[in-house]
């Protein structure tokens, strides 16, 4: 992974972070939980947890969204920021929370079996049909 480090944060600035390792790109998630958490699809980058440092995290809150994971968000402005699976060494960071420009591109789509009916995926990228109902 090459290029400059990426920084990001929430809408109000209560959560600010720096990624010491550049992600390969963005993966979108169309599962039902992401649709509700983000208000649309989730777009995430993945990095090792231990490469994320915080300049500010006083408003960071965590919600146990399933038996296997938690979702991080700002408790003040409501920005959706993170997904971390129990026992995983990596963390998923909402791509929209990254400061622009990122220089990243979208790589593929996941959980497309759960996709909402109001949009189509027409970009020609690889699609994984998994369903969150299977977890």
């Amino acid at each position: 992974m090459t290029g400059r480090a990426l920084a990001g944060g929430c809408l109000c600035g209560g959560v600010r972070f720096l990624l010491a390792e550049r992600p390969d790109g963005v993966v979108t998630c169309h599962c039902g939980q992401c649709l509700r958490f983000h208000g649309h699809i989730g777009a995430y980058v993945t990095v090792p947890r231990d490469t994320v440092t915080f300049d500010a995290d006083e408003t960071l809150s965590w919600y146990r969204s399933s038996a296997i994971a938690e979702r991080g968000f700002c408790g003040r402005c409501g920005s959706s920021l993170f997904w971390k699976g129990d026992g995983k060494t990596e963390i998923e960071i909402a791509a929209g929370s990254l400061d622009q420009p990122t220089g990243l591109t979208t790589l593929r789509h996941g959980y497309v079996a759960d996709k909402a009916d109001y949009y189509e995926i027409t970009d020609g990228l690889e699609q994984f049909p998994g369903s969150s109902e299977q977890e």
Side-chain angles (χ1 to χ4, degrees):
M1 298 182 188
T2 59
R4 68 175 179 82
L6 295 173
C10 67
L11 188 60
C12 72
V15 180
R16 290 290 306 164
F17 55 85
L18 180 67
L19 310 182
E21 186 171 312
R22 268 187 81 74
D24 292 330
V26 177
V27 175
T28 63
C29 182
H30 301 264
C31 81
Q33 283 194 10
C34 278
L35 290 173
R36 292 187 184 278
F37 187 63
H38 298 286
H40 188 45
I41 64 172
Y44 292 102
V45 298
T46 304
V47 296
R49 283 189 196 187
D50 62 1
T51 65
V52 180
T53 56
F54 288 88
D55 294 326
D57 66 357
E58 61 268 11
T59 62
L60 179 59
S61 294
W62 291 95
Y63 170 69
R64 175 145 298 277
S65 57
S66 73
I68 62 165
E70 293 181 299
R71 292 175 182 272
F73 63 97
C74 177
R76 181 168 47 214
C77 69
S79 294
S80 52
L81 301 168
F82 307 106
W83 183 93
K84 64 179 180 180
D86 297 344
K88 304 283 185 188
T89 60
E90 296 178 321
I91 189 166
E92 313 289 326
I93 299 170
S97 70
L98 298 172
D99 296 346
Q100 296 294 310
T102 66
L104 300 172
T105 59
T106 302
L107 303 173
R108 62 189 163 275
H109 302 277
Y111 288 100
V112 298
D114 291 352
K115 181 185 87 52
D117 63 358
Y118 60 83
Y119 66 94
E120 297 298 323
I121 303 170
T122 60
D123 57 16
L125 296 175
E126 186 175 16
Q127 298 183 26
F128 294 93
S131 171
S132 57
E133 298 297 318
Q134 298 165 346
E135 293 182 344

